Amino acid sequence: MTWLETAPALDALEPRARAQMGALKPVNLPAGAVLFHPGDSVKGYAIVLTGRVDVSLTGTTGREMLLYSVVPGQSCIQSTLGLLGGGDYTAEAVTQGETELVLLPRALFLDLVDSSPAFRAVVFRAFADRMQNMMQLVEKVAFQRVECRLADQLLTLTEAADGPIRITQAELATKVGTAREVISRRLDAWARRGVVQTGRGTITITDAQALREIAQDVM
């Protein structure tokens, strides 16, 4: 059994492509491992098998913004653009928790894009899905106020949380695309209104309906 058995998106690969990819060995990375920095050349195409990789952009002021996360079945648009267009990375990718992935070297990636219709379809489909998500992010940043984005993010996080949301204000600022001080002020105001309760590294939603109304209040 090869790692391909755990990647159902690649089930339709032709025998030659399957043999080439199956010969690659997965690597296990700890939490906090940096896959690439801005300015690095693109070495290959990462296929995440388990775990998650966050890709973030840091502005000249030092403010960080989460562009997207790569989980099993998803692609890194930065890598695809670099491999197909020849550009360098403009963002940073860091593993969140233990992560297992396979890295397709540049030469193999380009060969499979040329020779394997099944692989090409997987890459372009994942690229299209990621581009759609990126356009939604641009729309939120351009047309939603910070408090709307924050409320929406908290509602999303609480759906996956078993109890209080465990996240720092700095991490939340990165996800929302603003400064930590802005998050702190907004959470303090909502806490006074009884919308949320804040603790050390935790946030509990106490009035979900109020947050939903805030999230829907676009400009």
Side-chain angles (χ1 to χ4, degrees):
M1 178 176 175
T2 69
W3 64 268
L4 285 168
E5 305 302 322
T6 64
L10 301 172
D11 285 346
L13 284 178
E14 302 85 355
R16 174 178 175 271
R18 178 169 289 275
Q20 288 176 295
M21 294 182 67
L24 300 172
K25 302 298 183 184
V27 295
N28 291 284
L29 300 173
V34 179
L35 272 64
F36 54 78
H37 294 283
D40 290 349
S41 61
V42 182
K43 299 289 194 298
Y45 184 83
I47 298 175
V48 176
L49 303 178
T50 62
R52 189 181 95 222
V53 178
D54 281 357
V55 180
S56 303
L57 187 66
T58 302
T60 56
T61 62
R63 197 180 82 188
E64 187 179 3
M65 180 178 182
L66 178 67
L67 296 178
Y68 54 86
S69 297
V70 184
V71 298
Q74 296 181 336
S75 70
C76 174
I77 192 172
Q78 287 260 317
S79 295
T80 308
L81 285 171
L83 291 167
L84 296 177
D88 295 334
Y89 287 114
T90 58
E92 181 178 71
V94 181
T95 58
Q96 304 299 311
E98 294 184 359
T99 300
E100 183 181 33
L101 58 82
V102 173
L103 184 67
L104 276 65
R106 176 189 288 268
L108 177 57
F109 172 85
L110 294 176
D111 175 64
L112 289 173
V113 167
D114 286 339
S115 63
S116 170
F119 179 76
R120 186 165 58 245
V122 168
V123 170
F124 289 167
R125 187 181 307 116
F127 183 81
D129 290 342
R130 180 62 71 196
M131 280 298 298
Q132 185 176 33
N133 292 338
M134 288 293 294
M135 291 304 297
Q136 292 172 351
L137 174 63
V138 170
E139 182 180 0
K140 284 185 177 181
V141 172
F143 300 113
Q144 279 191 328
R145 294 194 298 271
V146 170
E147 56 263 35
C148 300
R149 302 202 304 271
L150 176 57
D152 182 65
Q153 185 63 236
L154 289 176
L155 290 169
T156 299
L157 290 172
T158 198
E159 290 178 358
D162 183 14
I165 302 167
R166 301 191 178 278
I167 190 170
T168 67
Q169 292 183 3
E171 292 169 337
L172 194 53
T174 297
K175 288 181 176 293
V176 174
T178 188
R180 188 196 64 76
E181 294 78 11
V182 175
I183 297 296
S184 178
R185 289 195 298 270
R186 185 49 53 196
L187 289 177
D188 286 346
W190 289 350
R192 290 194 297 271
R193 290 171 49 190
V195 178
V196 301
Q197 290 180 349
T198 59
R200 188 174 182 83
T202 65
I203 301 170
T204 302
I205 294 176
T206 51
D207 191 342
Q209 181 57 36
L211 271 188
R212 281 191 285 269
E213 292 174 359
I214 295 169
Q216 295 168 2
D217 184 19
V218 297
M219 291 189 295

